[in-house]
Amino acid sequence: EVDWFSLASILFLLMFAPLIVYYFIMSCDQYQCSLTDPLIDLLTGNKHLSDIWNKTPTLTYRAASIYALWVAFQMLLYLFIPDFCHKCLPGYVGGVQEGAVTPAGVVNKYEINGLQAWIITHVLWFANAYYFHWFSPTIIFDNWIPLLWCANVLGYAVSTFAMIKSYFFPTNAEDCKFTGNFFYDYMMGIEFNPRIGKWFDFKLFFNGRPGIVAWTLINLSYAAKQQELYGQVTNSMILVNVLQGIYVLDFFWNEAWYLKTIDICHDHFGWYLGWGDCVWLPYLYTLQGLYLVYHPVQLYTANAIGILMLGLIGYYIFRMTNHQKDLFRRTNGNCKIWGKKPEYIECSYMSVDGTKYYSKLMTSGFWGWARHFNYTGDLMGSLAYCLTCGFEHILPYFYIVYMTILLTHRCIRDEHRCFSKYGKDWKRYTAAVPYRLIPGIF
Ligand code: NDP
């Protein structure tokens, strides 16, 4: 059942999310990244909407070719090059891996080769920049708005296709969720794990590639643009490239672990994931680098070191918290967390067919400090990216505002789900670990 608040939020997002992305990118293109100047111009009658629209670059044949080539190349890497990284990189889990059990009891197999795709793509990028010179490394920045139209075409096409597919040829009919509300179903998705053939998994492909592989390339393209415009790359741009590069590499290094996160385990595939991965992620997660092309901030060394430390500590907390839960769950509690046997609460839940299962919720390590300390680390890292841009404009701070809303909402959504799953055991757990994100505060 869809409540009015969810429906209102969904309608708002469907109508305004594409406009928000356009507004941010257009303000950089036409207003040096000022978010207020376009509004002032419009409100004072200095400019009309049509003036702004007419100055916006249109879809070009060149951008369409670049984008089509990019997506086709990522599909090729995803589908046809089995993983070799797990054979030569100690500790890396890749190749064929199993996902979590779906509500209908299906266990999907996935070819985990994202790290390999990321490496091949980046080796080719650097080989082109320093040796082949097929195209300029500023290519992404130079076609940024025409590429936005292409990303939208793909985002809408894939979400609409997923909707039609769930009615006419679902991969697993028992894992479909119909609410009967068209907008909700389109946004949140009907099919759980839509696939084409045995290996083309929509969620794994669109969540990770082409968007997240592109993330680091987009930042490199911004750095190249700074070099072209100002003859140097600022320390702030290097920081953004390094900190976000670590985050992206971490994602691919842990792609197999990612199969057990909320996105893959609980979310259905609709516009939220399809359009979000194609448009929202590559365009709004990279705003800091884009801003630094227009405002090349050179940070004082002490500030740069402070931001680097904040980013690295945030990353450490994010990674270690996720690692502690993963280790705890994989070993069923038979492990050491900070040198000691972990403490936990035994809990049980009932599946739809009435079978009783047992599980454990850890109450020590970072999981004893707060119930979502992994999100706290993620937020510290997000703040570090934004701080690299100084305080002249609010645009680069969009990321931390968005991540705070996303992760707080996720936290509430997850706790609601856990409460329905574990009942009174979840209450015992929240009594043992009373804070969500910041110990002593929230
Ligand atoms: P979590 O990894 O926090 O997983 C939550 C689940 O873990 C719960 O549903 C519950 O599942 C289990 N769990 C909760 N508490 C405990 C406990 N104390 N001990 C053992 N298991 C517990 O959430 P996500 O999947 O959302 O996040 C994964 C990571 O991805 C996070 O670090 C997050 O910051 C990051 N992320 C980044 C985003 C981005 O856009 N940059 C977007 C979303 C996430 P069960 O039913 O199995 O008990």
Side-chain angles (χ1 to χ4, degrees), residues 215 247 257 260-263 266 285 318 322 325 328-329 359-363 367 371-372 374-375 378 399 402-403 406-407 410 414 417-418 421-422 426 429:
W215 189 345
Y247 194 74
W257 158 84
K260 308 277 160 70
T261 63
I262 292 177
D263 285 348
H266 304 297
Y285 284 26
F318 161 81
N322 286 327
K325 188 187 84 177
F328 173 76
R329 280 282 169 95
S359 187
K360 292 182 172 88
L361 293 166
M362 181 162 51
T363 53
W367 293 88
R371 301 200 291 272
H372 286 279
N374 48 349
Y375 293 179
D378 211 347
Y399 190 66
Y402 163 72
M403 284 298 280
L406 175 91
L407 292 179
R410 200 174 247 257
D414 184 51
R417 196 189 64 81
C418 287
K421 180 173 173 181
Y422 297 121
W426 183 254
Y429 170 61

Side-chain angles (χ1 to χ4, degrees), residues 210-280:
I212 301 191
V213 179
W215 189 345
T216 32
L217 291 187
I218 296 165
N219 281 341
L220 285 170
S221 184
Y222 292 153
K225 195 67 194 180
Q226 261 202 348
Q227 179 70 40
E228 183 188 287
L229 290 174
Y230 313 107
Q232 62 152 344
V233 178
T234 59
N235 57 2
S236 51
M237 180 66 93
I238 296 172
L239 267 177
V240 167
N241 270 266
V242 168
L243 291 175
Q244 295 190 346
I246 293 173
Y247 194 74
V248 167
L249 253 177
D250 174 276
F251 174 86
F252 285 117
W253 183 269
N254 294 294
E255 200 180 15
W257 158 84
Y258 183 70
L259 298 177
K260 308 277 160 70
T261 63
I262 292 177
D263 285 348
I264 302 271
C265 287
H266 304 297
D267 288 344
H268 291 239
F269 187 87
W271 187 86
Y272 171 72
L273 287 180
W275 181 86
D277 294 331
C278 291
V279 182
W280 187 267

Side-chain angles (χ1 to χ4, degrees), residues 170-182:
T171 305
N172 190 328
E174 286 175 12
D175 269 329
C176 286
K177 184 185 72 178
F178 294 92
T179 64
N181 184 301
F182 173 81

